[in-house]
Amino acid sequence: MKADMERRGFLVGIGALALVPGLASAAQGQARPVPEGAFRLERVLTRGLADGKSIVVTRHWGVAFEKTGPGALRITGKQTFAHVDAPASLQAISRIEARRDESDLFPLDLDAQGLIVVADRQGPVAPLPDSVLAEAISYAKARSAGENVTASSRQFLADLSQRGLDWMTGLPRDLFYPAPRDRRAEREIVLADGMAGTVAMREHVQADTASGLMTRYYREATTKTETMSRTGSETWSLAREVL
């Protein structure tokens, strides 16, 4: 998972430092309180399929916070639950995915701004949906050039869908201390075969007003044409464990 963060560094590099909660207090030398107790981190990843069905992967981790330096925190954790809901034809793959242990997501270190520390350090927050959208369309157009318009259109849609999935599976650096926001971007597209459609991306982020900790981090990517509609989404949530 950490390797995935580094491979997808270009997708976590756009944003503004002013959007990150806790930055002002860090600049003033005020240390962020260490969240006490055990927390449950949940991630629900939904990937739409061409036939209208979907694959839903749900994972839980038990996590805890500890102080590692002035304003810096470390999050330790272990996967406690995994479930995959998928069509019957994909049950074999589903069982493999459900058995996969992603405890190696942790430990994660947070800097004084509450951002996940990564090797490339290319930016403070998850990218804006319109930035991801522009990059995805540009990439798909470059890959789909060809004389066969039908094949080019299919390639374009496949690449566009994959780029949306890449955005959702990259771990946001501001996952644990995000700025609350609701941002969306939508563009009309015209395929090589003349078919029209739309592609849209949304990011809806909520945080606890008292602690600044993330409560819900939702991202969605949708591609629609006259003949198909495919939506993928990712929802992170963080809550105290109830003993």
Side-chain angles (χ1 to χ4, degrees):
M1 180 66 75
K2 292 179 182 177
D4 288 345
M5 290 168 55
E6 296 176 3
R7 284 199 301 271
R8 294 169 179 150
F10 73 97
L11 283 177
V12 292
I14 302 171
L17 284 171
L19 293 175
V20 183
L23 187 58
S25 63
Q28 297 169 2
Q30 298 177 11
R32 177 183 292 107
V34 180
E36 297 181 356
F39 290 78
R40 187 185 78 174
L41 178 67
E42 178 184 75
R43 181 195 188 211
V44 181
L45 180 63
T46 301
R47 181 172 186 178
L49 304 176
D51 59 2
K53 297 179 181 179
S54 61
I55 301 174
V56 181
V57 182
T58 302
R59 294 185 190 279
H60 296 170
W61 293 265
V63 301
F65 295 76
E66 60 184 58
K67 183 177 180 179
T68 56
L73 299 175
R74 171 166 291 180
I75 304 176
T76 57
K78 182 178 181 180
Q79 180 175 296
T80 59
F81 174 83
H83 176 74
V84 180
D85 186 7
S89 59
L90 298 175
Q91 285 304 305
I93 297 176
S94 298
R95 287 192 291 270
I96 295 174
E97 179 66 21
R99 288 196 296 266
R100 194 159 58 87
D101 188 344
E102 291 196 1
S103 294
D104 61 354
L105 174 64
F106 298 97
L108 290 172
D109 290 310
L110 306 185
D111 64 16
Q113 286 75 47
L115 306 177
I116 297 173
V117 177
V118 294
D120 49 36
R121 299 186 63 82
Q122 289 193 13
V125 299
L128 299 170
D130 54 353
S131 301
V132 179
L133 190 53
E135 187 277 335
I137 291 176
S138 178
Y139 176 82
K141 283 183 177 179
R143 290 252 302 166
S144 62
E147 296 181 0
N148 187 323
V149 295
T150 300
S152 294
S153 295
R154 289 175 179 172
Q155 183 68 53
F156 181 88
L157 290 173
D159 287 337
L160 202 56
S161 178
Q162 184 59 47
R163 270 304 196 247
L165 184 66
D166 288 345
W167 175 52
M168 291 182 296
T169 55
L171 191 65
R173 286 194 64 201
D174 67 334
L175 177 64
F176 292 95
Y177 286 96
R181 54 192 182 265
D182 190 359
R183 304 185 295 208
R184 64 178 70 229
E186 181 174 326
R187 293 200 187 175
E188 295 183 355
I189 55 175
V190 178
L191 306 182
D193 60 5
M195 184 178 296
T198 59
V199 56
M201 293 186 179
R202 183 190 181 194
E203 179 183 65
H204 186 206
V205 184
Q206 298 169 292
D208 180 73
T209 55
S211 67
L213 283 169
M214 177 270 293
T215 55
R216 187 173 184 267
Y217 203 121
Y218 177 78
R219 296 186 287 183
E220 178 186 273
T222 302
T223 303
K224 293 182 179 180
T225 68
E226 298 169 13
T227 60
M228 65 84 71
S229 177
R230 185 175 296 182
T231 298
S233 67
E234 176 195 59
T235 304
W236 291 92
S237 61
L238 181 69
R240 289 188 180 276
E241 288 278 15
V242 179
L243 303 179

